[in-house]
Amino acid sequence: MAGPTLRDVAKLANVSIRTVSNVVNGYAPVSAELRARVQVALDQLDYRPNLIARNLKQGRTGMIALAVPELDVPYFAELAREVIKAAHAHGYVVMIDQTDGAADRERELLGRDSRATMFDGLLLSPLSISADELRARGNSVPIVLLGEHIFNGSFPHVAIDNVAAAREATAHLLELGRRRVAAIGDQPYATGETAQLRTAGFRQAHARAGLDVRDELIVSTPHFHRRLGAEAMERLLALPEPPDAVLCYNDLLALGAIRALTRAGRRVPDDVAVVGVDDIEEGQYSTPSLTTVAPDKVGIARRAVDTLLESIRGELGTPPEIVVPHRLIVRESTVGERAVGEGTVGEGAAGDSAAGEAAAAR
Amino acid sequence: MAGPTLRDVAKLANVSIRTVSNVVNGYAPVSAELRARVQVALDQLDYRPNLIARNLKQGRTGMIALAVPELDVPYFAELAREVIKAAHAHGYVVMIDQTDGAADRERELLGRDSRATMFDGLLLSPLSISADELRARGNSVPIVLLGEHIFNGSFPHVAIDNVAAAREATAHLLELGRRRVAAIGDQPYATGETAQLRTAGFRQAHARAGLDVRDELIVSTPHFHRRLGAEAMERLLALPEPPDAVLCYNDLLALGAIRALTRAGRRVPDDVAVVGVDDIEEGQYSTPSLTTVAPDKVGIARRAVDTLLESIRGELGTPPEIVVPHRLIVRESTVGERAVGEGTVGEGAAGDSAAGEAAAAR
DNA sequence: TGAGGGCTCTGCAACGATGCAGACATAATG
DNA sequence: CATTATGTCTGCATCGTTGCAGAGCCCTCA
């Protein structure tokens, strides 16, 4: 089962182990003649370097881990795809772990018996673990956090400006003349920081338009899945005065909401306009197609990987807070058939303004 | 950066390295007193075993690789999720690679400089690489193939009975009275074996119903993406006699087709009924919801991982051809609002019959 | 009392690769 | 021609861990 080693090749070619290693790696100067002889032996035995041994010697593995809650949530799948590509570009491969958003699964990643020592670094999309706990445990491996939580400077962190994203999406609905705008996806508890930022943006948009937010139109959901979006929408439709528009905190909630609306015989967007966040591919092909806030996923993946590699190389000073641009993509679920093809609003500008306005967000 | 080693702990606790190792692993008998002293030192230094060194010594890594074409294709994301879970249950972790269906990316996995030596085994979902080539190269690592291609016995292989799946889906459309049934997704070339099996099933269903297949209604697509499904549907609608039903070879094609239909003002299923394959979650929430053939993804993942681990342990004789059950799930895209909730047809029976009828399929 | 046995604990070698320093032969230099 | 520089090649030590064999020690039993 075990393949040939340098020793085997050396014996066959009648040279030292070290010379074979030099040929394999193209290191020290080796005469053409000898190189050829070694090469023949390499080919004959079909030698493949044992990377584990190489790693042990070099102290690094060329692998990073990516921990996401659920790989079959399209946003994470699309993000994982980009992370793998970005890592590849730097010669790294990616091990993927699923935490299911469970705190103890997230803890396991950092625990004593984890495989953390097999990886040069960890990209973590934390859902349940708290900042303090992560700080207390996460001292063994370079870590970069993705998109969730506020860890006030303890770890490098890559995300969009969630307040601005929600504010712009809400403003879009208000500009269309909608006046009973609901929000689906709030999470008013410790580990729901991202959701709370989006709620803040939702309120900001109302405030700037001089409108009041009706609290009964803000619906909490423990997760961001299609089913919960549908259920939340059904609850909203049961209100005495149902909404005429909904901001959903991600696209899955939005698609679930649309499903509930069409099932209930409501037209989207005529009766109720719907906007999501994430820009998953599914939203381009749904009926109606989905207006959404598109985070720059490629940018998130690249910046996260770059930052992690810097951290691995020890080049990182103060953990950076990296804000990645986003933009509102207007499709049928808010403007109907008018949305010809890929209508885009605020491209570039939205992203640029985001960083600046983030400071203003309380 | 580098953590403490057994040597550091041994020095602190004033014992031999070997004894520390014994404590960590709970191996040889160690007196309670000494064990306690070592434990204190372990805790104090926050020792974590270097898994790379352990792996080098033991000759295995506890990691398997999963290579899929695209992680953001929902079917592969859902499958990856189950594979990760199944591997976890056996104490293995999963490294994920994306090949983009490119032959040279698939070759890379097996090539001399690949990281294959870092993994105990490889689960491969091959799209482009040919059987011969795989056989010629794939001798270094235990391999199990997923769902694609026929490799006539060279490698263990896990898949559904594609002929039966397509036949049952087509039969469902015919039983609804549709008489101009189209197929989207054929791939009449070397690496399109799976698609060809589905086309065979499509033809079988017609034959059994005593109907002719109209070849102009079979549309080829190089990939199974939403956009191609939409484009294929548009081409079908442009025919002098457009179809009244479509079998799409996966759900993404089907969702693209539905999108094209609604855009063109056709009603689904009234004007055209649509059925897919894969049962991705998206199809439950689309409008209309999608009738589809559901492969037993959990079963595929489990059987594949189990088989791979057997192969790693050297317990595998002749490479098995494993057929996993499937079932037709009827939703709105074929029967309209009649589909209450999760209407299911042929559950179990379909799966059972699948294996038996596979033999009959030429 | 002394041989045998069980229980703890230890040191050495090894997994397969690479870093380093040096050996040896040849070429360049004064 | 002696000396230094240059170019090839090699052996040893090492990464951090575990397998193996054996060293002490205390206890038991004839």
Side-chain angles (χ1 to χ4, degrees):
Chain A
M1 200 78 242
T5 70
L6 283 183
R7 197 216 308 281
D8 302 322
V9 179
K11 198 174 299 177
L12 180 63
N14 242 314
V15 294
S16 75
I17 293 179
R18 191 58 246 226
T19 296
V20 180
S21 171
N22 285 337
V23 170
V24 170
N25 294 291
Y27 269 3
V30 178
S31 68
E33 178 198 18
L34 194 56
R35 178 183 305 280
R37 198 166 90 221
V38 171
Q39 192 60 54
V40 168
L42 284 171
D43 291 341
Q44 187 175 332
L45 295 179
D46 192 25
Y47 169 81
R48 289 151 197 252
N50 180 322
L51 296 180
I52 306 179
R54 183 180 286 177
N55 292 336
L56 173 60
K57 187 64 182 158
Q58 301 187 334
R60 35 151 300 192
T61 62
M63 304 194 297
I64 60 177
L66 168 66
V68 295
E70 291 165 288
L71 199 49
D72 53 347
V73 168
Y75 174 75
F76 290 119
E78 294 179 10
L79 187 63
R81 170 178 179 75
E82 297 303 331
V83 166
I84 291 174
K85 283 173 82 170
H88 252 263
H90 293 279
Y92 274 77
V93 297
V94 179
M95 208 285 307
I96 295 185
D97 225 317
Q98 286 174 131
T99 61
D100 286 316
D104 51 344
R105 295 290 313 280
E106 294 181 349
R107 259 177 231 124
E108 231 175 65
L109 285 170
L110 311 164
R112 174 159 296 173
D113 286 329
S114 84
R115 292 185 194 263
T117 54
M118 294 250 279
F119 307 107
D120 296 341
L122 170 63
L123 288 178
L124 177 60
S125 185
L127 274 192
S128 307
I129 202 168
S130 74
D132 294 337
E133 196 172 2
L134 189 56
R135 218 167 0 240
R137 293 163 167 275
N139 39 5
S140 51
V141 181
I143 293 184
V144 169
L145 298 177
L146 289 174
E148 302 286 339
H149 280 341
I150 309 288
F151 283 90
N152 47 55
S154 309
F155 294 97
H157 182 225
V158 182
I160 61 168
D161 180 345
N162 280 293
V163 176
R167 187 182 58 234
E168 291 160 20
T170 309
H172 169 61
L173 294 171
L174 294 174
E175 282 160 15
L176 290 172
R178 309 288 168 151
R179 282 300 173 268
R180 294 190 55 77
V181 181
I184 296 180
D186 191 32
Q187 298 182 332
Y189 39 80
T191 55
E193 282 99 338
T194 301
Q196 290 163 36
L197 291 176
R198 293 183 182 171
T199 300
F202 177 76
R203 292 184 183 280
Q204 271 188 19
H206 280 80
R208 292 192 186 183
L211 297 169
D212 286 336
V213 171
R214 321 204 190 193
D215 284 337
E216 81 270 19
L217 291 185
I218 299 183
V219 183
S220 300
T221 64
H223 300 293
F224 283 6
H225 288 176
R226 295 181 184 84
R227 187 173 53 76
L228 294 175
E231 290 170 6
M233 194 68 238
E234 283 163 10
R235 244 173 297 147
L236 286 169
L237 287 177
L239 289 177
E241 288 183 280
D244 56 9
V246 197
L247 167 67
C248 296
Y249 288 6
N250 86 342
D251 285 354
L252 289 188
L253 289 173
L255 291 163
I258 290 178
R259 175 72 188 158
L261 285 165
T262 51
R263 225 182 228 289
R266 303 299 209 290
R267 290 165 307 160
V268 179
D270 310 68
D271 299 325
V272 183
V274 179
V275 55
V277 177
D278 280 351
D279 188 34
I280 63 178
E281 192 184 326
E282 181 176 344
Q284 294 173 37
Y285 289 85
S286 61
T287 302
S289 59
L290 183 63
T291 296
T292 190
V293 177
D296 175 8
K297 283 180 211 122
V298 174
I300 292 175
R302 284 218 193 112
R303 299 297 304 272
V305 169
D306 288 350
T307 306
L308 185 60
L309 297 191
E310 280 173 39
S311 175
I312 290 170
R313 290 192 300 263
E315 296 170 2
L316 219 53
T318 315
E321 283 284 333
I322 297 173
V323 177
V324 172
H326 63 268
R327 63 200 174 89
L328 183 68
I329 298 182
V330 177
R331 299 205 189 94
E332 295 167 358
S333 70
T334 55
V335 301
E337 308 281 328
R338 273 191 286 152
V340 185
E342 280 290 280
T344 293
V345 169
E347 177 152 14
D352 293 344
S353 71
E357 302 190 22
R362 263 136 295 163
Chain B
M1 201 76 241
T5 70
L6 284 181
R7 196 215 309 282
D8 302 322
V9 179
K11 197 174 299 178
L12 181 62
N14 242 313
V15 295
S16 75
I17 294 178
R18 190 58 245 226
T19 297
V20 180
S21 172
N22 284 337
V23 170
V24 170
N25 294 292
Y27 268 5
V30 179
S31 68
E33 178 198 19
L34 195 56
R35 178 183 306 280
R37 198 165 91 222
V38 171
Q39 193 60 54
V40 168
L42 284 171
D43 291 341
Q44 187 175 332
L45 295 179
D46 191 25
Y47 169 81
R48 288 150 198 252
N50 181 322
L51 297 180
I52 307 179
R54 182 179 287 176
N55 291 336
L56 173 60
K57 188 66 182 157
Q58 301 187 335
R60 35 152 300 194
T61 62
M63 303 194 295
I64 59 176
L66 169 65
V68 294
E70 290 165 288
L71 199 48
D72 53 347
V73 168
Y75 174 74
F76 290 119
E78 293 179 12
L79 186 63
R81 170 179 179 76
E82 296 304 331
V83 166
I84 290 174
K85 282 172 83 170
H88 252 263
H90 293 278
Y92 274 77
V93 297
V94 179
M95 208 285 307
I96 296 186
D97 226 317
Q98 285 173 132
T99 61
D100 287 316
D104 50 345
R105 296 290 314 282
E106 294 181 350
R107 260 176 230 125
E108 232 176 63
L109 286 170
L110 310 164
R112 174 159 295 173
D113 285 330
S114 84
R115 293 185 193 264
T117 54
M118 295 248 278
F119 307 107
D120 297 341
L122 171 63
L123 289 178
L124 177 59
S125 184
L127 275 192
S128 308
I129 203 168
S130 74
D132 293 336
E133 195 171 2
L134 189 57
R135 217 168 359 240
R137 294 162 168 276
N139 39 4
S140 52
V141 181
I143 293 183
V144 169
L145 299 177
L146 289 174
E148 301 287 337
H149 280 341
I150 309 287
F151 284 89
N152 46 56
S154 309
F155 294 96
H157 182 223
V158 182
I160 61 169
D161 179 345
N162 280 294
V163 176
R167 186 184 58 234
E168 290 160 21
T170 308
H172 169 60
L173 294 171
L174 295 174
E175 282 160 15
L176 291 171
R178 309 288 169 152
R179 282 300 172 268
R180 294 190 56 76
V181 180
I184 296 180
D186 191 33
Q187 299 183 331
Y189 39 81
T191 55
E193 281 98 338
T194 301
Q196 289 163 36
L197 291 176
R198 293 183 183 172
T199 299
F202 177 76
R203 291 183 183 281
Q204 271 189 17
H206 280 79
R208 293 192 185 182
L211 298 168
D212 286 336
V213 171
R214 322 205 189 191
D215 284 337
E216 80 270 19
L217 292 184
I218 300 182
V219 183
S220 300
T221 63
H223 301 293
F224 284 5
H225 287 178
R226 294 180 185 85
R227 188 173 53 76
L228 294 176
E231 290 170 6
M233 194 69 238
E234 284 162 11
R235 243 172 298 147
L236 286 169
L237 287 179
L239 289 176
E241 287 184 282
D244 56 9
V246 196
L247 167 67
C248 296
Y249 289 6
N250 87 341
D251 284 354
L252 289 188
L253 289 173
L255 291 163
I258 289 177
R259 175 71 188 156
L261 285 165
T262 52
R263 225 181 228 288
R266 303 298 209 292
R267 291 165 305 159
V268 179
D270 311 68
D271 298 327
V272 183
V274 179
V275 54
V277 178
D278 281 351
D279 188 33
I280 63 178
E281 191 183 326
E282 181 177 346
Q284 294 173 38
Y285 289 86
S286 60
T287 303
S289 60
L290 184 64
T291 295
T292 190
V293 177
D296 175 8
K297 286 182 209 116
V298 174
I300 292 176
R302 284 218 192 110
R303 300 297 304 272
V305 169
D306 287 351
T307 306
L308 185 60
L309 297 190
E310 279 172 42
S311 175
I312 290 170
R313 290 192 300 263
E315 295 170 3
L316 218 55
T318 315
E321 283 283 333
I322 298 173
V323 177
V324 172
H326 63 267
R327 63 199 174 90
L328 183 69
I329 298 183
V330 177
R331 300 206 189 93
E332 296 167 357
S333 71
T334 55
V335 300
E337 309 280 327
R338 273 191 285 152
V340 184
E342 281 291 280
T344 292
V345 169
E347 176 152 15
D352 293 344
S353 71
E357 303 191 21
R362 261 135 295 159

